[in-house]
Each structure stands twice: as structure tokens, then as C-alpha cells.
Amino acid sequence: MRSFYLVCPLHFEDLVQQELKYKWPLHFPKDSYNILKADKGGVELECSLECGLLLNKILKIPGRIMLRVKKQKCRDLPKLFNIIKKINWKEYLRQENMEIEVTAKKSRLIHTTKIENTVLDALKAYFMANKIPQKKILCGAKPQKIYIRLFEDNLSISLDTSGELLHIRELNNYRGLASIRETYASALLLYLLGLKSYNKFTLLDPMCGSATFLYEAKNFFELNKRSFAFENWANLSLATLIDQDNPWSFSQLQGIDINNQVIQKQENSTIKITEGDLFKSQQNHNSIVILNPPYGKRIKIEGDLQVYFDSVVKHIQNGICPHAFGIIIPSAFAKKLKPHKRLKFNQNGIKVDFLVYLSARNK
Ligand SMILES: C[S@@+](CC[C@H](N)C(=O)[O-])C[C@H]1O[C@@H](n2cnc3c(N)ncnc32)[C@H](O)[C@@H]1O
């Protein structure tokens, strides 16, 4: 068993576990995992090396997946040098091009540049003594990242298995001016929808921008199609994994945006995107609405922000009358609102609340 750390935004730890619990048996029916810890922006679990690496292809909510290589007490640089030099790096590395990320708190070793240089020296000494197996590195591959963390003299050494952050689904997606990260959109969809079926409903984003919520709802149960850092060193058969059926199975995925330049950039036959104004959108009892309105920073809003957000919520409730809806509102303006549930998180440095409302028929 190996230990993996799934990095996620603070307060999304439960959602990562829900996603894991649902998807794991579909992809790895013969294997199991144990959760070791879930808090402070991450979920630590124990499982086989192969399954842990393949989570990069399966999960939509974590932002990065790290493999713990070593955990040990360490109070001085000579000890750090020896620990690093003794690790069997041949198991993981096919290139000597490395990037080291150091964090050190409440430890005797605190000088991050000295720590980094010691790690690089120890790796150099390892490479002198051991020839690492050569493998053709994927085109455009970045240096392999190694994370060194020291907290209260406890050293943990982890290897990045993802490469680019996992919200990057495919490298040439169109992204709007104020688009939400794909990993966040997936987490909020799961928070709003759970794992029920919605085959009689339309999923509607009436301020859709680059339609991230709709693409994520469409792809949540499919595999991530891009490449990952672990593919540079692990010989795994990716063919064993297959896309899974989408239990949400909305009858339609529909986006509306007032800015027709945004709409022109989207070409997708399964997602219907039209030009329109949220405040003029029609009643649809058979819709589930999810949206991320402008916050007034990157996209300007005229007038009082509290009045604006209140009126967006009111229009969805009384104008569209959906079966349920979820909306992101900066926390400062979400305080007085009374949703059925709320999830607090940080979006590009702004404290926000995701508010979930259920219609009277749906309570
Ligand atoms: C924060 S962005 C949404 C980003 C989107 N969730 C994404 O991931 O790309 C807000 C969007 O609302 C649109 N918008 C602003 N006022 C609107 C209105 N009254 N009706 C419809 N769309 C509106 C803007 O054009 C912008 O694309």
C-alpha cells in the first residue's frame, strides 16, 4: 500500500471523498483504499501504487495528486541529505530535470533555499551512484516536481503525479474572462446534485460564460483525457479504465449569456448556448439552475452590489422557478440570504458562499 495526498480547496474534502466513494468501485472493483486523513485542503489515503496514480484519470475535484515517498523526523541538513540520497529514486524518475518545492514551519530546518540546495545535492549524488532507467519523456513534459515539507521537525517528501494542475482538462479549451476552475465547478455540481438522476430536467446556467458548469456536468463521469506526470515514469496500462455512465443524465444542458462574443467562441453540439438576459429568462419548473454571477471585479456591475445579488436570487426563485438552484455569491453579500445549505470557499482570493436553494415542491 502507498500513501497519496489529494489536494483540494479548503472545505471541499468531503466532496472529494464522496467522488472517490462513488467512482472507486466502478473502476477498481477488486481493490480497496483507506482514508488516512481528510482536512485542511486535502485527503490522504492509502491504496496500491497503480490505483493511486490512475486517480488522476478518474477524479474531477482534486487539483493535484501527490505520492508520499517518505515521512521521517529530520532536524538538520546532513540528515536531510542522507534521507534523500537513500530513497530508491529509480522507481520514480526517468529524468534528472527536477523542481523542488519547499515549505518549512515550526522546525529547526527553516531556511528554504538551504533545504532546496541540500535536496538537489543529494539527488545529484544519487544520480552519480545510480543510473536511472531512461524513458522517452512526453513531449512538452515539465520538470518532475518534488515537494519537501517540514512541520515540527517532521519531514515529508512527496512526488507530484499530476504535472499540470488537474483543473486543466485539455490544453486548448476556450476560457472566458471570469471562468470558474473546472475542479471547483465539479465540486459544486456534486454539492448541488448529489448522485441522483435528473433525466427529466434541464441543467441551466443562465450566466454561463465559457459554460464550465455544463461541460463539467457532461464529463464528470468520463476519464480525464490529457497526460499526467506519472506517465513519464510509471508503466501502467491505462486501457483498463473506461468512461462510466452519467447518472445525472440531464435531458438537456443549456447555457445563456448576455455577451454574444462569449457564445460565438463555443462550438458544441451537446450543449445549447444562446444569447439572453438572466432577468428576462423564462419560467422552467423542470430546470436545475447553477450559476456564477459577476462579482463586480473583473466584470463590472452598475449600482449597489447587495441589491444586484438579491435581485439575481429573487429572479431565479420567482422568474425561472427551478426545481433547485445553486449560486456563488461573495460572502459579504451572502450573509443575509437564507438558502437551504451553503458551502464556503475561496475563489481567486475572494471569500464566497455557494448557496443551494430547493423549490417548495422539492423540500
Ligand atoms: C463570472 S462569469 C461566469 C463564468 C462561467 N461560470 C465560466 O466558468 O466561464 C459571469 C457571466 O455572466 C454574464 N452576464 C452578466 N450579466 C448577465 C445577464 N444579465 N444575463 C446573462 N448573462 C449575464 C457575463 O457575460 C459573464 O459571462
Side-chain angles (χ1 to χ4, degrees):
M1 295 286 253
R2 307 299 292 263
S3 153
F4 286 88
Y5 190 70
L6 316 184
V7 181
C8 68
L10 206 59
H11 306 310
F12 283 18
E13 301 87 357
D14 282 352
L15 292 163
V16 170
Q17 289 184 82
Q18 275 180 46
E19 184 184 17
L20 199 57
K21 197 171 164 190
Y22 180 80
K23 292 183 178 175
W24 184 282
L26 300 176
H27 292 282
F28 311 125
K30 293 188 187 136
D31 292 276
S32 61
Y33 68 92
N34 299 319
I35 299 288
L36 301 174
K37 206 169 81 182
D39 63 358
K40 297 182 186 155
V43 174
E44 189 169 0
L45 63 92
E46 227 178 24
C47 62
S48 72
L49 180 66
E50 174 162 353
C51 292
L53 296 175
L54 291 178
L55 290 177
N56 279 293
K57 288 205 75 80
I58 293 164
L59 298 180
K60 303 288 181 178
I61 302 179
R64 182 181 293 292
I65 298 181
M66 303 197 309
L67 167 64
R68 290 253 193 262
V69 175
K70 190 97 193 159
K71 263 184 170 176
Q72 197 174 327
K73 278 267 175 218
C74 179
R75 297 192 180 88
D76 58 62
L77 293 173
K79 174 113 192 223
L80 176 65
F81 183 95
N82 280 330
I83 294 171
I84 299 282
K85 198 176 160 223
K86 276 192 194 144
I87 290 172
N88 183 19
W89 292 106
K90 278 193 281 189
E91 203 186 336
Y92 317 108
L93 299 180
R94 299 293 176 272
Q95 58 171 325
E96 295 182 16
N97 191 10
M98 231 71 66
E99 197 178 311
I100 315 295
E101 285 227 1
V102 181
T103 49
K105 277 187 198 142
K106 296 186 186 168
S107 296
R108 258 170 264 190
L109 281 178
I110 202 78
H111 195 298
T112 53
T113 311
K114 281 188 186 162
I115 295 171
E116 181 179 339
N117 288 339
T118 303
V119 173
L120 287 170
D121 287 347
L123 283 167
K124 213 173 179 181
Y126 177 88
F127 294 138
M128 297 271 274
N130 300 274
K131 203 166 161 41
I132 56 168
Q134 295 300 307
K135 184 177 171 189
K136 197 164 179 274
I137 298 301
L138 292 174
C139 172
K142 300 257 167 66
Q144 173 62 55
K145 262 196 187 163
I146 298 176
Y147 293 88
I148 305 290
R149 183 167 185 266
L150 274 147
F151 184 69
E152 293 176 344
D153 294 334
N154 292 306
L155 166 70
S156 86
I157 304 168
S158 308
L159 207 65
D160 171 33
T161 71
S162 305
E164 296 279 4
L165 282 170
L166 293 173
H167 74 269
I168 300 171
R169 306 293 194 213
E170 280 175 273
L171 295 174
N172 51 0
N173 275 2
Y174 163 68
R175 306 299 298 143
L177 182 62
S179 50
I180 184 167
R181 276 197 175 186
E182 290 80 345
T183 42
Y184 287 58
S186 269
L188 301 182
L189 282 163
L190 187 59
Y191 187 76
L192 171 65
L193 303 171
L195 287 156
K196 289 190 279 186
S197 165
Y198 292 93
N199 56 9
K200 294 194 184 74
F201 292 93
T202 293
L203 182 67
L204 169 66
D205 182 344
M207 289 185 153
C208 70
S210 35
T212 316
F213 283 122
L214 303 173
Y215 285 101
E216 289 300 301
K218 177 173 167 282
N219 298 330
F220 189 80
F221 301 92
E222 290 182 7
L223 300 173
N224 292 319
K225 304 280 183 312
R226 46 161 268 202
S227 57
F228 304 97
F230 77 82
E231 290 172 75
N232 282 324
W233 50 268
N235 284 324
L236 296 182
S237 162
L238 304 181
T240 52
L241 299 175
I242 50 166
D243 291 338
Q244 296 294 324
D245 289 342
N246 186 335
W248 291 334
S249 58
F250 285 99
S251 62
Q252 199 179 12
L253 299 168
Q254 193 190 350
I256 298 173
D257 202 286
I258 205 160
N259 179 353
N260 90 333
Q261 282 174 346
V262 168
I263 295 156
Q264 280 168 12
K265 300 221 166 90
Q266 320 253 2
E267 283 167 27
N268 190 299
S269 52
T270 48
I271 296 177
K272 189 177 154 212
I273 298 177
T274 48
E275 187 178 341
D277 183 349
L278 166 107
F279 294 103
K280 295 185 185 141
S281 40
Q282 293 175 350
Q283 200 173 70
N284 185 351
H285 290 303
N286 286 334
S287 64
I288 308 277
V289 169
I290 186 161
L291 73 161
N292 177 28
Y295 304 156
K297 297 229 158 151
R298 279 187 268 186
I299 299 175
K300 295 286 165 228
I301 297 168
E302 301 289 328
D304 183 275
L305 285 178
Q306 186 71 61
V307 172
Y308 174 76
F309 288 117
D310 290 352
S311 66
V312 171
V313 170
K314 216 171 250 164
H315 181 76
I316 297 167
Q317 275 175 323
N318 304 330
I320 305 179
C321 308
H323 181 75
F325 74 98
I327 179 169
I328 305 175
I329 295 185
S331 301
F333 304 104
K335 274 188 220 148
K336 287 190 203 128
L337 296 168
K338 292 196 168 59
H340 296 101
K341 56 177 189 170
R342 79 171 73 213
L343 178 66
K344 291 186 167 292
F345 64 101
N346 197 303
Q347 157 100 312
N348 297 324
I350 301 172
K351 285 185 182 161
V352 295
D353 289 9
F354 182 59
L355 310 178
V356 168
Y357 290 84
L358 308 173
S359 77
R361 288 161 291 127
N362 185 22
K363 275 183 224 164

